[in-house]
Amino acid sequence: MLTGLLASHTLIHGTPIYLIDGVAMLCYITAWFGYAAYADWQHPRRPSLMAITQTMRLSWMRQMMARDNRMVDAALIGNLQRSITFFASTSIFVLIGLMTMLGYRDKGIEILGSIPFTMQTSPFMWEFKLFLMAFVFIYSFFKYTWSLRLYNYASIYVGAAPPLEACLAKPEETEQYAQRGGQLIANAGKHFNMGLRAYYFGLSVLSWFLHPLLFIVMIGWVIYEVHRREFRSRAVNQLAEMG
């Protein structure tokens, strides 16, 4: 397999293409895991969507404990579950499409070869890129389904909350219950965010089918967009002002 990979690659200004593909793959892995570590480190230290909404989730649970009728809380959790279900179902459809493309390898390579400025790829790299995308969307599917399960647990948690009279009689225990509920929902939101991040990085692999250098540029663009939306977007500023 490795011999076929090396033999099928030409040179770009004297540099073997498989080396450029390797650099692109290294950039991809470093960018994804590096940004995830950076974001987790930054969330508690500066205004971000995750940090602000986590505070709001705790406030939500406190308001839930102060309500006698918790139907609105159950409806809110159900709305969150529906949005996650949509993305989880979409991941399955994407995986079906990727597996279908494996059967059209030669045709796909021929179509890509007809596009101007597209780098010629080998059958091995064609399959490798498809399996990479499949891995990313499988990862996102697991993140979405786990987030969905956590919201299911949150709905049970809300249903098991003590009545208003008991909450008023035991304020310290009520606060602890609200904090645990806020942490549970925040964890569900964290995994949903990780699934969305995987979508962004997974879609960037499409540019690799055209050219590895374009893939590297797209990786940088994805990091810029994800960082802007999580830390510097208008939504972050508005939510921070509300907080």
Side-chain angles (χ1 to χ4, degrees), residues 172-240:
E172 293 184 0
E173 295 183 7
T174 300
E175 176 63 19
Q176 293 177 0
Y177 198 93
Q179 290 186 3
R180 288 193 294 268
Q183 292 172 359
L184 177 62
I185 297 178
N187 194 26
K190 176 183 177 181
H191 285 276
F192 177 65
N193 186 60
M194 294 171 70
L196 284 178
R197 190 183 298 159
Y199 255 58
Y200 291 127
F201 280 97
L203 292 176
S204 68
V205 181
L206 289 172
S207 61
W208 198 3
F209 286 90
L210 300 178
H211 201 288
L213 297 181
L214 177 61
F215 180 41
I216 295 175
V217 172
M218 289 299 297
I219 292 171
W221 180 77
V222 166
I223 292 178
Y224 169 79
E225 278 297 316
V226 173
H227 182 270
R228 183 185 65 82
R229 295 182 181 188
E230 290 191 21
F231 294 96
R232 298 184 292 107
S233 64
R234 183 178 300 177
V236 173
N237 297 330
Q238 292 173 342
L239 291 174

Side-chain angles (χ1 to χ4, degrees), residues 47-170:
S48 66
L49 285 178
M50 286 297 298
I52 297 171
T53 54
Q54 183 170 352
T55 303
M56 290 185 170
R57 290 182 180 100
L58 176 58
S59 177
W60 172 16
M61 288 294 100
R62 286 171 175 163
Q63 294 294 330
M64 182 271 296
M65 300 298 290
R67 282 192 281 264
D68 189 27
N69 188 344
R70 277 85 183 247
M71 292 297 296
V72 62
D73 306 292
L76 288 172
I77 294 176
N79 183 60
L80 293 171
Q81 289 174 325
R82 283 190 293 273
S83 62
I84 298 173
T85 302
F86 167 77
F87 282 102
S89 301
T90 304
S91 299
I92 294 297
F93 293 141
V94 172
L95 289 172
I96 294 173
L98 292 173
M99 294 301 101
T100 303
M101 289 176 65
L102 288 173
Y104 296 89
R105 183 188 62 187
D106 296 335
K107 186 64 175 178
I109 294 175
E110 179 183 350
I111 293 174
L112 288 177
S114 63
I115 301 176
F117 307 107
T118 300
M119 185 59 58
Q120 183 180 3
T121 187
S122 67
F124 171 81
M125 285 305 300
W126 170 269
E127 295 175 353
F128 179 83
K129 295 167 187 176
L130 288 178
F131 278 114
L132 175 61
M133 290 188 66
F135 170 79
V136 172
F137 283 98
I138 289 173
Y139 170 86
S140 68
F141 174 78
F142 275 93
K143 286 299 178 182
Y144 288 136
T145 52
W146 180 239
S147 177
L148 184 61
R149 290 186 65 182
L150 289 175
Y151 277 120
N152 285 334
Y153 301 150
S155 63
I156 297 173
Y157 194 86
V158 169
L164 179 60
E165 294 78 8
C167 294
L168 296 176
K170 300 178 180 179

